[in-house]
Amino acid sequence: MPNFSVNVPQLSSLHSIKTPKAKMNLCADQVFDKMLLCGDMATKMMFAPSSSSSSSSPVLPDLRKSNKRRSIRMLKCRAAGADGGRVTVGDDVFSVTTSSKYEVDYLGQSTKGDLNLKLDPLHSFGNGQATLDGPIEEVARTEAQAAENLIRELGIQGPFSAQHSPRGIFCSRTLNLRSISAIGYDMDYTLMHYNVMAWEGRAYDYCMENLKNMGFPVDGLAFDPELVIRGLMIDKEKGNLVKADRFGYVKRAMHGTKMLSNKAVSEIYGRELVDLRNQSRWEFLNTFFSVSEALAYAQMVDRLDDGSISADLGTLDYKGLYKAVAKALFRAHVEGRLKSEIMSKPELFVEPDPELPLALLDQKEAGKKLLLITNSDYHYTDKMMKHSFNKFLPNDMDWRDLFDMVIVSARKPEFFQMSHPLYEVVTGEGLMRPCFKAETGGLYSGGSAQMVESSLNVHGDEILYVGDHIYTDVSVSKVHLRWRTALICRELEEEYMALIGSRSHREELIELINQKEVVGDLFNQLRLAFQRRSKGRPAQTLAATNLDDQELTDTMQKLLIVMQRLDDKIGLMLESDGELFNKRWGFLSRAGLWDKSHLMRQIEKYADIYTSRVSNFLNYTPFMYFRSQEQSLAHDSPLPDAAMEN
């Protein structure tokens, strides 16, 4: 394999790719995986814009002046080669499992897209020695160590190291990415991440302006995103924002902008469960777009409670107040002023991600059909995608060249549930005409997911859909179509770092809880002995029965004081747990020390994988096999040796 010497800003950590002969004793799949990875990197480097002012390179030809049509044709040829069931590198040695010949592996995943050897498994490699003889346990141990060494020498961040980082991709349900034929993407807060302070701040401003025009008192109110996090629920009957655990029990609550005590939460909700199916009462904050709405509502609840809202607006309860706020925010979006402002100065609202186009380029070159399915209209989509993608694509490629199909104004979630008229966008000004069948490479408005499946001849779990909205993007596409799903949750990066920063706090808290359990167990046993003694019956054991009355009473008093003091300490520490992420609501994924939040339960239920941004795929290759982690159960704790002997 040749050496490549490059200078690419996006891959600055990879200065050279070398393959020592001593490390070529990898098994065939491992070697070829590295060959594919290195080959794709080298090609990307050839097409990537050079940061050097030199017009030529002694190693790689300068292709910056190649015309757009040639580069796109090469890109499509490479993708077609991978999709056609054969590979261009080592074609006489390897083949790809086709959609007509796939099987199901031991984890129940399709083997479509897997790489296969055409040769005898014991084929001698370049040095003439067969390296796969012997027990597979020993062979695997040797080759795994060699694989770790090689990937380290190549300077590539492997998926296992990437997983243990803020930008890891986390797996809820096992997913073989090789078997995925098409990957669909949402745009807003998925392919494109907005600056929350800027985007939601302006949405809040427009909402407040509309509320003021409706007669609501908004003077003195300001945008404060720390008041709200994703995953909360609005209780429209009581004027509260609540955070629930995975079972639906309310753990924290805020009335207006004032946090409620644990006692108040218990008195208001008791054993009542949050039921998101009751949409007349509960509103789930699925995405960043909910931040401005929830914040405005909480602030207006304060104004309603203190009597600031004029009686001229009629008799308002908390549910009517929510309708007014939702209407004001809806007008801010529909009237178009907000999006017009963003389109005029996208650099103020969009956080650039230079790695994102490279991640999609990898997927396309691996034979995946890429789709863009967004609720945004054509003009907004085209403007924002050009801003976010074109400057990071090679050889004057346009963002449209990445996608096999683009659908705007999709009207999700209905897009996944029913059919709407399909229109083809035929001009740069957005002129449309009716059509009855979508074609590869087309740009459309409306339509349906079933139409996409029919047009591309891919169905169900052959498609991975990636979005930021747990309902509109993820759960509906999974429930109705059985598409595989990925959720984008940008806050994961901040939460990951907050969890690391809170490690010592949580360890101390767990230690105190364990100490209380030990002290409490003794107290409970002594209490039972005291109870039996008062009834004239013997205690649990002879020694407990013979305890002196005074000793029993004194010990119980001492233990009770210790437990009360521990409760005070533990209570304060529990309240502060998660402050590094959000001082009011704690961690996004947790509701209490050990339990999951309702949002996290939704993610695990509907998202096969989840991560903070699409560009994180760059660390995993388009051939990654995501395997879900072991799920621990309450009875999984190891038993003591004595118990095992019995």
Side-chain angles (χ1 to χ4, degrees), residues 231-245:
L232 302 181
M233 300 88 171
I234 297 177
D235 183 350
K236 293 180 278 190
E237 287 186 1
K238 300 184 183 298
N240 296 338
L241 285 173
V242 306
K243 182 179 184 181
D245 65 13

Side-chain angles (χ1 to χ4, degrees), residues 2-3 38 57 59 68 76 90 111 131 141 155 196 199 263 284 344-345 366 379 434 470 489 495 522 568 585 643 645:
N3 296 336
C38 296
S57 167
V59 179
K68 175 180 177 182
K76 290 181 177 179
T111 61
T131 62
R141 188 180 303 111
V196 176
W199 209 108
K263 181 180 179 181
F284 192 29
S344 66
K345 297 180 180 179
H379 290 291
I470 192 66
C489 182
E495 170 151 304
L522 175 58
D568 293 339
W585 300 106
E645 292 174 0

Side-chain angles (χ1 to χ4, degrees), residues 186-189 192-195 198-200 289 333 336-347 349-350 372 374-388 399 406 408-409 428-430 443:
D186 178 40
M187 183 179 73
D188 297 309
Y189 283 123
M192 187 178 312
H193 184 73
Y194 298 105
N195 180 301
W199 209 108
E200 294 304 316
F289 284 125
H333 288 285
R337 289 190 299 160
L338 176 58
K339 287 194 171 182
S340 295
E341 182 178 346
I342 294 171
M343 284 192 289
S344 66
K345 297 180 180 179
E347 66 279 359
F349 296 92
V350 178
L372 177 62
T374 176
N375 283 352
S376 293
D377 60 55
Y378 166 71
H379 290 291
Y380 185 78
T381 299
D382 185 55
K383 177 70 175 181
M384 303 310 290
M385 291 293 289
K386 281 181 177 177
H387 171 79
S388 299
W399 69 270
V406 175
V408 299
S409 303
E429 291 72 34
L443 170 61

Side-chain angles (χ1 to χ4, degrees), residues 482-644:
R482 294 297 185 263
W483 287 9
R484 306 306 298 270
T485 52
L487 182 80
I488 301 300
C489 182
R490 193 57 166 259
E491 306 98 304
L492 283 173
E493 295 178 20
E494 183 182 350
E495 170 151 304
Y496 188 97
M497 298 309 297
L499 283 167
I500 292 177
S502 303
R503 185 173 296 164
S504 60
H505 174 90
R506 295 172 70 83
E507 288 174 351
E508 180 184 355
L509 181 53
I510 291 171
E511 182 180 359
L512 290 175
I513 291 174
N514 290 338
Q515 290 169 353
K516 187 197 172 182
E517 286 185 353
V518 174
V519 172
D521 184 58
L522 175 58
F523 178 82
N524 292 335
Q525 294 293 344
L526 294 180
R527 182 178 179 181
L528 179 59
F530 184 84
Q531 173 184 299
R532 289 185 177 184
R533 179 172 300 189
S534 67
K535 300 298 182 181
R537 295 194 297 114
Q540 301 93 309
T541 64
L542 180 61
T545 302
N546 293 334
L547 272 176
D548 178 74
D549 286 348
Q550 189 62 47
E551 181 182 0
L552 178 61
T553 302
D554 289 347
T555 302
M556 290 179 63
Q557 286 179 334
K558 180 180 68 174
L559 295 176
L560 192 57
I561 292 172
V562 170
M563 287 192 296
Q564 288 173 343
R565 292 187 62 188
L566 279 171
D567 281 344
D568 293 339
K569 178 71 173 179
I570 291 171
L572 290 174
M573 293 186 70
L574 281 174
E575 286 184 7
S576 63
D577 184 47
E579 277 189 349
L580 289 181
F581 183 78
N582 186 279
K583 290 185 177 181
R584 292 175 178 83
W585 300 106
F587 293 113
L588 188 79
S589 61
R590 288 162 170 76
L593 183 60
W594 284 298
D595 212 349
K596 300 170 184 175
S597 67
H598 201 67
L599 173 66
M600 193 66 238
R601 177 68 185 104
Q602 296 282 310
I603 292 174
E604 287 185 331
K605 184 176 181 180
Y606 296 114
D608 297 317
I609 56 177
Y610 60 98
T611 189
S612 64
R613 57 179 87 187
V614 173
S615 58
N616 294 344
F617 279 106
L618 205 59
N619 294 323
Y620 289 81
T621 83
F623 320 108
M624 181 67 185
Y625 194 110
F626 292 100
R627 181 172 56 83
S628 61
Q629 295 182 346
E630 176 187 2
Q631 302 298 303
S632 61
L633 303 173
H635 63 274
D636 282 340
S637 300
L639 296 173
D641 293 339
M644 294 294 289

Side-chain angles (χ1 to χ4, degrees), residues 60 89 103 153 220 237 273 275 280 291 295 301 338 361 386 389 402 412 425 442 486 500 503 547 558 586 592 638:
L60 296 178
V89 180
E103 296 180 356
E153 291 175 12
E237 287 186 1
L273 293 177
D275 184 1
S280 65
V291 170
L295 175 57
V301 166
L338 176 58
L361 201 58
K386 281 181 177 177
F389 275 73
L402 282 173
K412 296 177 294 182
V425 181
I500 292 177
R503 185 173 296 164
L547 272 176
K558 180 180 68 174

Side-chain angles (χ1 to χ4, degrees), residues 127-301:
N127 55 11
Q129 298 178 351
T131 62
L132 302 182
D133 292 326
I136 187 57
E137 296 86 354
E138 297 178 6
V139 173
R141 188 180 303 111
T142 300
E143 302 308 323
Q145 183 60 57
E148 289 182 359
N149 294 338
L150 179 56
I151 201 167
R152 184 165 51 249
E153 291 175 12
L154 292 174
I156 300 171
Q157 183 182 17
F160 300 106
S161 58
Q163 183 174 352
H164 298 290
S165 74
R167 294 188 58 181
I169 296 179
F170 309 102
C171 182
S172 302
R173 179 190 172 206
T174 298
L175 169 65
N176 182 5
L177 201 57
R178 298 188 289 271
S179 69
I180 296 297
S181 300
I183 305 179
Y185 288 101
D186 178 40
M187 183 179 73
D188 297 309
Y189 283 123
T190 300
L191 288 179
M192 187 178 312
H193 184 73
Y194 298 105
N195 180 301
V196 176
M197 282 296 296
W199 209 108
E200 294 304 316
R202 290 303 291 148
Y204 171 89
D205 291 341
Y206 282 116
C207 176
M208 285 300 176
E209 180 181 334
N210 289 335
L211 284 173
K212 184 176 182 179
N213 293 336
M214 294 163 63
F216 286 90
V218 300
D219 293 340
L221 299 179
F223 182 67
D224 180 10
E226 288 298 312
L227 276 172
V228 180
I229 63 172
R230 188 204 303 242
L232 302 181
M233 300 88 171
I234 297 177
D235 183 350
K236 293 180 278 190
E237 287 186 1
K238 300 184 183 298
N240 296 338
L241 285 173
V242 306
K243 182 179 184 181
D245 65 13
R246 60 187 164 131
F247 303 108
Y249 293 109
V250 176
K251 293 298 183 180
R252 298 190 184 189
M254 182 173 74
H255 181 74
T257 61
K258 303 175 183 66
M259 293 301 296
L260 301 178
S261 66
N262 290 334
K263 181 180 179 181
V265 170
S266 179
E267 290 174 349
I268 294 172
Y269 293 103
R271 296 292 87 193
E272 182 179 6
L273 293 177
V274 172
D275 184 1
L276 296 179
R277 293 171 297 180
N278 183 1
Q279 298 181 11
S280 65
R281 178 176 181 182
W282 301 101
E283 192 73 23
F284 192 29
L285 308 187
N286 285 295
T287 179
F288 274 129
F289 284 125
S290 305
V291 170
S292 50
E293 178 182 70
L295 175 57
Y297 178 66
Q299 292 173 334
M300 296 313 298
V301 166

